[in-house]
């Protein structure tokens, strides 16, 4: 099993009780103008899970790592995560990420490590890969977990 699969499962396991302890006021509190509150951060991570789940599956059927992006701020705003039931957000986020960990775990090593010359991880990855360098699905999945942990650290859960 890739280490990032265990990291993802552990991040979810540790985060869920801490998120559930967060009261309604704190979960809606924005740290500053233009910043997301914890509910919106978890909502963004749900959107990230939704988009990346499809990418991780599709990558196994195509020769490149070229995928559509999405307007993150618009998605968060449109779905009104700040007003969504907190427990529902936590449940969806945790279940979706445990499913992604399962998917990551059964992608064959050769498929994960296959170098792809064509990609747009210079645009999509949290830690971009230059367009003129090959990229792997393994890198993209590892990057997904790092992105998730970064956002959890923003709301005081785990470390970045």
């Amino acid at each position: 099993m890739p280490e990032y699969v265990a990291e993802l499962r552990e991040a979810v396991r540790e985060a869920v009780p801490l998120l559930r302890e967060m009261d309604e006021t704190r979960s809606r509190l924005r740290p500053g103008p233009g910043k997301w509150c914890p509910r919106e951060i978890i909502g963004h991570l749900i959107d990230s899970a939704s988009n990346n789940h499809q990418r991780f599956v599709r990558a196994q059927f195509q020769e490149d790592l070229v995928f559509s992006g999405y307007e993150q701020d618009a998605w968060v705003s449109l779905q009104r995560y700040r007003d969504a039931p907190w427990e529902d957000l936590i449940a969806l986020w945790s279940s979706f990420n445990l499913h992604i960990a399962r998917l990551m775990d059964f992608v064959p090593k050769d498929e994960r490590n296959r170098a792809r010359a064509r990609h747009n991880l210079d645009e999509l990855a949290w830690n971009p890969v230059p367009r003129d360098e090959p990229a792997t699905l393994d890198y993209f999945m590892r990057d997904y977990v790092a992105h998730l942990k970064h956002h959890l650290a923003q709301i005081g859960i785990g470390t970045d």
Side-chain angles (χ1 to χ4, degrees):
M1 163 183 15
E3 84 232 8
Y4 54 83
V5 173
E7 286 180 35
L8 179 55
R9 288 179 175 139
E10 182 67 11
V12 171
R13 187 189 67 72
E14 289 179 0
V16 167
L18 297 172
L19 291 169
R20 286 185 173 136
E21 288 175 7
M22 193 177 296
D23 67 30
E24 291 289 316
T25 302
R26 163 89 171 83
S27 72
R28 286 191 171 99
L29 184 63
R30 290 188 175 128
K35 301 287 185 181
W36 289 332
C37 68
R39 285 176 194 239
E40 291 166 320
I41 289 172
I42 295 300
H44 164 67
L45 290 175
I46 291 167
D47 296 340
S48 175
S50 175
N51 280 275
N52 284 296
H53 169 259
Q54 292 185 49
R55 293 168 180 162
F56 298 159
V57 171
R58 292 172 200 265
Q60 297 176 69
F61 298 106
Q62 61 191 53
E63 292 303 314
D64 58 33
L65 293 175
V66 177
F67 306 103
S68 297
Y70 68 102
E71 297 295 324
Q72 299 172 12
D73 289 324
W75 280 48
V76 168
S77 176
L78 181 100
Q79 295 178 80
R80 298 183 182 152
Y81 286 124
R82 192 167 186 231
D83 300 321
W86 187 221
E87 183 57 38
D88 291 355
L89 292 176
I90 295 167
L92 178 56
W93 172 79
S94 67
S95 293
F96 211 158
N97 277 285
L98 291 174
H99 177 71
I100 288 172
R102 184 176 157 271
L103 166 65
M104 290 173 166
D105 194 22
F106 66 67
V107 175
K109 184 177 182 178
D110 290 347
E111 185 63 27
R112 286 194 328 265
N113 293 321
R114 182 165 52 100
R116 322 284 179 98
R118 285 191 61 237
H119 65 83
N120 61 343
L121 300 190
D122 58 314
E123 298 171 5
L124 298 181
W126 183 60
N127 291 300
V129 176
R131 190 165 294 224
D132 61 347
E133 294 179 14
T136 65
L137 179 55
D138 190 73
Y139 177 88
F140 197 25
M141 291 191 286
R142 178 177 285 109
D143 183 73
Y144 172 81
V145 176
H147 167 259
L148 178 140
K149 291 170 69 175
H150 163 77
H151 281 301
L152 290 177
Q154 285 181 318
I155 55 178
I157 296 173
T159 58
D160 189 12

